[in-house]
């Protein structure tokens, strides 16, 4: 495990300071370093940590190529993910949505990852390409001259605050969203006020062959919650339930393990897969994880990854959007530094395109949570949309048109909710 610690970061002025060593921060830092910029990446944790976001989307392929990560991912022990499948509340299983349906190329497969390993791989790769990575160094606040960010105040555990000057401050602090919270531009998503309870198992029944690494999404019988089932390296699987905060937290026992078990009882096909399996870690809980931010960049600062917003875990968009925002932001920051224009308009020049992709995926999320929605019924009504639906599940919202399916989804969302059995 590579760890690089500058002797004293105060001795240097950086063109960019990146706060946060997850996928978004590592991507932005690496791509800037590739272009010769002096970059410090400050990651608050001293060692790799468990994180959710274990299922990738195939559209990460092109970013991995730019990062120099593609061959490393191919050599990893992470299971290959070739498809996603949905199971309705009545137990009806959709035909798997194979990512290669539209594009029979190796870029139409991806991986299921252990985030502690995956994130460290990205940081090791960043170091190899010239980023100064400093673990155990957390962002406390941005340093501003008026409205312009001119650096960061960082701190080690038990140490004194350190002021580091930089031309650009990139906030990649994940759902801590440090800059957005302090600026008051982080807003919870009113239609997606959800919570999740999650854990890992060993010994669960997994499919074979091409379906061995597939993500499976199960709706519970009540349709008030849904589960993910994600195969991980070895014999491990990640399982989590998602539902409204009212349903999973406020109306239930204070013991999240009990709530998890009660919801699992309402999902018999998943319970069958887990019969005889051993839980390998305590349940975790996360809530209020869907939010937006009012802007993506300002004078001397940029938000990337979850620091700039998060949709919902149902389609595994988190790491993809982290990588994509880090990539797009790095290109914008490079051009801003080269031109000497560090205005919010220049640094945020990627925001319109990036957010259009986010909103396309958000529309698909809204459809999933509609009580009478199912992919089978949707495709019966709009059979011409299957190709674009696969593109959206792949993450091809920036490279291929998805206008037809978005129009159909918005048409569906505008209709009165139909009664369901």
């Amino acid at each position: 495990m590579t760890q690089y610690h500058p002797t004293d970061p105060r001795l240097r002025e950086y063109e960019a300071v990146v706060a946060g060593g997850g996928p978004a921060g590592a991507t932005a830092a690496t791509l800037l370093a590739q272009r010769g910029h002096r970059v410090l990446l400050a990651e608050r944790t001293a060692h790799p940590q468990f994180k959710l976001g274990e299922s990738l989307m195939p559209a990460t392929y092109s970013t991995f190529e730019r990062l120099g990560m593609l061959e490393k991912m191919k050599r990893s022990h992470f299971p290959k993910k070739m498809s996603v499948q949905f199971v309705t509340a009545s137990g009806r299983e959709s035909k798997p949505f194979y990512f290669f349906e539209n594009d029979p190329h190796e870029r139409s497969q991806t991986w299921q990852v252990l985030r502690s390993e995956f994130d460290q791989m990205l940081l090791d790769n960043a170091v190899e390409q010239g980023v100064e990575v400093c673990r155990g160094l957390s962002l406390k606040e941005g340093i501003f001259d008026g409205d312009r960010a001119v650096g960061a105040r960082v701190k080690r555990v038990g140490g004194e605050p350190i002021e580091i000057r930089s031309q650009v401050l990139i906030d990649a602090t994940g759902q801590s969203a440090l800059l957005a919270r302090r600026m008051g531009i982080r807003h919870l998503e009113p239609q997606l006020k959800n919570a999740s309870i999650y854990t890992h198992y060993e010994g669960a029944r997994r499919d074979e062959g091409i379906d061995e690494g597939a993500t499976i999404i199960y709706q519970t019988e009540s349709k008030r919650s849904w589960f993910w089932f994600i195969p991980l390296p070895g014999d491990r699987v990640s399982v989590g339930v998602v539902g409204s905060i009212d349903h999973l937290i406020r109306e239930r026992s204070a013991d999240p393990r009990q709530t998890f078990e009660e919801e699992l009882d309402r999902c018999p096909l998943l319970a069958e897969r887990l019969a005889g399996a051993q839980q390998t870690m305590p349940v975790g809980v996360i809530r209020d994880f869907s939010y937006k931010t009012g802007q993506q960049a300002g004078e001397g600062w940029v938000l990337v990854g979850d620091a700039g917003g998060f949709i919902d875990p149902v389609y595994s968009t988190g790491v993809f959007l982290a990588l994509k925002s880090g990539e797009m932001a790095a290109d914008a920051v490079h051009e801003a530094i080269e031109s000497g224009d560090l205005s919010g308009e220049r640094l945020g020049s990627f925001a319109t395109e990036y957010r259009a992709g986010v909103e396309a995926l958000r529309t698909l999320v809204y459809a999933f949570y509609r009580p009478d929605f199912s992919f089978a019924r949707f495709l019966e009504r709009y059979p011409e949309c299957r190709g674009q639906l696969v593109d959206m599940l792949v993450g091809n919202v920036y490279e291929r048109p998805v206008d037809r399916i978005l129009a159909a989804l918005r048409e569906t969302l505008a209709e009165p909710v139909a009664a369901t059995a």
Side-chain angles (χ1 to χ4, degrees):
M1 180 177 67
T2 302
Q3 292 188 17
Y4 182 84
H5 300 277
T7 304
D8 188 342
R10 290 172 295 185
L11 300 179
R12 299 191 65 183
E13 181 171 314
Y14 297 89
E15 288 170 288
V17 168
V18 180
T27 297
T30 300
L31 294 179
L32 285 170
Q34 284 178 355
R35 291 185 166 185
H37 297 293
R38 299 186 306 278
V39 184
L40 173 70
L41 186 154
E43 163 54 36
R44 65 179 180 82
T45 64
H47 305 285
Q49 304 288 308
F50 170 86
K51 292 181 185 175
L52 291 177
E54 299 147 316
S55 189
L56 306 187
M57 296 181 92
T60 54
Y61 182 97
S62 60
T63 309
F64 285 147
E65 270 193 313
R66 286 191 64 182
L67 290 171
M69 279 289 297
L70 193 54
E71 293 305 315
K72 295 173 182 177
M73 292 300 294
K74 290 179 181 179
R75 293 194 300 268
S76 73
H77 68 149
F78 300 138
K80 292 181 178 180
K81 174 185 172 185
M82 310 292 285
S83 66
V84 61
Q85 187 175 21
F86 298 88
V87 182
T88 68
S90 63
R92 181 180 178 184
E93 298 179 350
S94 73
K95 176 184 174 183
F97 291 94
Y98 291 110
F99 304 134
F100 54 73
E101 287 182 30
N102 293 356
D103 185 12
H105 185 276
E106 69 172 16
R107 62 177 162 259
S108 295
Q109 67 104 78
T110 189
W111 295 270
Q112 310 281 28
V113 302
L114 290 168
R115 284 292 303 277
S116 55
E117 293 184 22
F118 173 71
D119 289 9
Q120 187 61 46
M121 287 172 64
L122 288 170
L123 287 182
D124 291 345
N125 183 67
V127 171
E128 291 169 12
Q129 300 193 48
V131 179
E132 297 186 14
V133 174
C134 199
R135 274 198 173 276
L137 195 65
S138 60
L139 174 67
K140 306 312 291 183
E141 60 185 349
I143 300 173
F144 285 82
D145 182 0
D147 292 332
R148 179 181 296 278
V150 294
R153 188 168 288 107
V154 298
K155 186 176 181 295
R156 290 191 184 280
V157 175
E160 294 296 319
I162 301 171
E163 291 191 357
I164 304 174
R165 296 287 164 167
S166 67
Q167 293 184 46
V168 180
L169 172 59
I170 300 176
D171 184 351
T173 56
Q175 297 209 4
S176 297
L178 194 145
L179 285 184
R181 286 178 188 267
R182 295 199 176 180
M183 292 178 178
I185 60 172
R186 179 183 180 273
H187 310 291
L188 294 179
E189 169 59 76
Q191 296 188 54
L192 299 171
K193 298 183 74 172
N194 292 334
S196 176
I197 305 173
Y198 56 88
T199 188
H200 281 186
Y201 288 88
E202 288 184 356
R205 177 172 61 80
R206 296 160 66 143
D207 292 329
E208 298 180 351
I210 196 172
D211 299 322
E212 193 275 338
T215 293
I216 308 176
I217 302 297
Y218 293 87
Q219 284 191 317
T220 57
E221 292 173 333
S222 67
K223 296 196 74 172
R224 297 188 68 188
S225 64
W226 61 270
F227 278 89
W228 73 71
F229 179 92
I230 299 173
L232 294 172
D235 194 26
R236 191 181 308 188
V237 297
S238 173
V239 180
V241 61
V242 178
S244 73
I245 291 174
D246 284 342
H247 179 61
L248 291 185
I249 305 295
R250 295 180 181 139
E251 300 171 1
R252 307 297 280 274
S253 161
D255 179 5
R257 175 66 189 178
Q258 181 178 335
T259 299
F260 184 93
E261 293 291 348
E262 290 170 354
E263 293 302 297
L264 188 58
D265 287 342
R266 298 183 174 117
C267 196
L269 289 182
L270 176 57
E272 287 176 15
R273 283 188 178 271
L274 299 178
Q278 299 297 313
Q279 186 181 340
T280 59
M281 65 179 232
V283 297
V285 180
I286 185 171
R287 55 189 292 174
D288 284 334
F289 46 66
S290 297
Y291 54 91
K292 301 179 182 181
T293 52
Q295 61 192 101
Q296 200 76 36
E299 306 293 309
W301 59 268
V302 182
L303 309 180
V304 295
D306 290 359
F310 183 78
I311 308 175
D312 185 88
V314 65
Y315 301 119
S316 305
T317 56
V319 172
F320 163 63
L321 291 175
L323 293 171
K324 182 56 69 174
S325 65
E327 178 181 12
M328 295 172 114
D331 291 341
V333 170
H334 166 72
E335 292 169 4
I337 292 173
E338 291 296 294
S339 69
D341 178 5
L342 301 178
S343 66
E345 182 178 5
R346 190 63 181 263
L347 289 170
S349 59
F350 70 99
T352 298
E353 180 185 3
Y354 171 67
R355 291 191 170 200
V358 173
E359 290 310 308
L361 293 167
R362 194 188 308 276
T363 301
L364 190 61
V365 169
Y366 287 160
F368 176 83
Y369 282 102
R370 185 182 166 100
D372 60 351
F373 180 83
S374 80
F375 285 102
R377 282 195 295 271
F378 177 78
L379 291 176
E380 285 173 6
R381 182 175 177 183
Y382 303 102
E384 73 279 8
C385 288
R386 184 176 178 90
Q388 289 194 356
L389 175 57
V390 172
D391 276 334
M392 292 189 76
L393 296 174
V394 166
N396 283 334
V397 292
Y398 297 104
E399 299 176 4
R400 297 194 181 192
V402 291
D403 53 328
R404 180 66 190 93
I405 188 173
L406 287 178
L409 288 168
R410 288 166 183 153
E411 192 174 289
T412 299
L413 291 168
E415 295 171 350
V417 175
T420 56

